[in-house]
Amino acid sequence: MPQPHIIVRDLTMAYGERVIQSDLNFTIQRGDIFVIMGGSGCGKSTLLRHLIGLLTPARGEILYCGVLETGEDKPCLDFCRANAQTRLQILRRVGVLYQSGALWSSMTLAENIGLPLAEYTDLEEDEIEALASLKLALVGLKGFEDYYPFEISGGMQKRAGLARAIALDPEILFFDEPSAGLDPVSAKRLDDLIVELRDSLGATVVIVTHELPSIMAIGTNSVFLDAESRTQIAQGPPRDLLESSSHPKVKEFLTRGGTL
């Protein structure tokens, strides 16, 4: 049976008095490749920032389930109301790939990947170097350890950012527009890599995107955010929504010829 990994309940997101989205309710199951989709300006990236604790909800709960052990139980914990130590423990189980890749330009790829390992583990320097090389190999960048970000292509930078996101073997991966700026071939390769890493790590993946090919190729579940009504108007596997949703905005989004 599917097991919940993240539960969002009655979530309202706002900047001051301006409500971005309200009454969001959905569950991300373990092993999902869960897509947060919708048109431009609907609050997709804002929702991701709430899920990883960069923003605080105006109302509602974000529950992480089975991430931390408490005795023999692995309860669902309210991430937004947890103490600082618990939040940090949860975030240690999370990896994030930002839209730009967010690599440190003054560090080599190996140094970028080694940074979280040096910060959060007791590994020796040679062990960190070996693990950094392994993570780069997993994303197809074997032999590029000593390259700087400016010396490689945009697609390779995204893969290097992904290698850093998996440095600590997270159980949840968050991606913010991973295919943005990539040509179709590079975007397809990145999609395939995301699926491979989900399977090899046994991870849950949450992706913010409006790229229709990626949504249809790898999305197993989704939520659709609407900018006009400022709430979710659909939830479910993208292909099921394409076939069965009667909402005109969802239909238009999933049948469009290009990207928004």
Side-chain angles (χ1 to χ4, degrees):
M1 293 293 293
Q3 295 180 327
H5 216 165
I6 301 174
I7 300 173
V8 172
R9 288 181 181 165
D10 301 323
L11 182 68
T12 293
M13 308 183 299
Y15 292 115
E17 297 296 320
R18 185 167 72 93
V19 173
I20 308 301
Q21 289 283 323
S22 63
D23 300 320
L24 301 183
N25 287 276
F26 58 87
T27 297
I28 301 170
Q29 306 288 356
R30 284 185 176 272
D32 262 347
I33 297 182
F34 189 94
V35 180
I36 300 171
M37 60 183 178
S40 298
C42 68
K44 299 186 297 294
S45 293
T46 299
L47 176 54
L48 182 142
R49 294 186 185 104
H50 279 77
L51 292 176
I52 61 177
L54 294 179
L55 295 173
T56 302
R59 185 173 67 88
E61 299 176 320
I62 298 172
L63 305 175
Y64 276 74
C65 299
V67 178
L68 299 182
E69 295 188 18
T70 304
E72 296 182 358
D73 299 323
K74 290 186 176 182
C76 292
L77 301 174
D78 187 347
F79 180 69
C80 305
R81 293 173 177 80
N83 60 44
Q85 181 179 2
T86 300
R87 286 166 64 95
L88 181 59
Q89 287 179 299
I90 292 173
L91 290 175
R92 286 279 303 275
R93 311 303 299 272
V94 166
V96 183
L97 174 61
Y98 296 99
Q99 184 172 343
S100 63
L103 297 169
W104 294 99
S105 60
S106 60
M107 292 182 174
T108 66
L109 299 189
E111 289 170 341
N112 267 280
I113 282 72
L115 187 61
L117 292 167
E119 185 73 20
Y120 295 111
T121 73
D122 296 324
L123 295 173
E124 300 293 335
E125 185 175 345
D126 59 339
E127 294 174 312
I128 290 174
E129 291 176 359
L131 272 175
S133 294
L134 173 61
K135 301 302 181 182
L136 286 168
L138 288 175
V139 300
L141 290 176
K142 181 178 176 60
F144 286 86
E145 288 85 353
D146 295 329
Y147 282 65
Y148 288 88
F150 68 86
E151 296 179 306
I152 59 177
S153 69
M156 294 169 75
Q157 289 179 23
K158 289 289 180 76
R159 284 188 278 149
L162 182 50
R164 186 177 61 186
I166 65 172
L168 295 172
D169 295 328
E171 62 178 76
I172 306 174
L173 285 165
F174 291 96
F175 299 137
D176 188 7
E177 299 283 6
S179 301
L182 299 183
D183 63 85
V185 174
S186 297
K188 174 64 167 58
R189 289 174 179 166
L190 186 59
D191 287 343
D192 292 342
L193 180 59
I194 289 170
V195 174
E196 290 173 10
L197 290 173
R198 187 276 308 264
D199 293 342
S200 63
L201 293 173
T204 299
V205 177
V206 182
I207 301 179
V208 169
T209 186
H210 61 253
E211 300 288 347
L212 191 55
S214 294
I215 292 170
M216 290 302 175
I218 66 175
T220 64
N221 204 353
S222 68
V223 64
F224 190 100
L225 306 184
D226 178 46
E228 185 177 5
S229 61
R230 299 181 185 179
T231 192
Q232 67 186 72
I233 58 175
Q235 182 186 349
R239 291 191 177 276
D240 288 357
L241 294 180
L242 175 62
E243 295 175 2
S244 62
S245 177
S246 60
H247 200 292
K249 288 185 178 180
V250 177
K251 276 293 201 184
E252 181 183 9
F253 183 91
L254 294 176
T255 58
R256 69 197 192 279
T259 56
L260 295 182

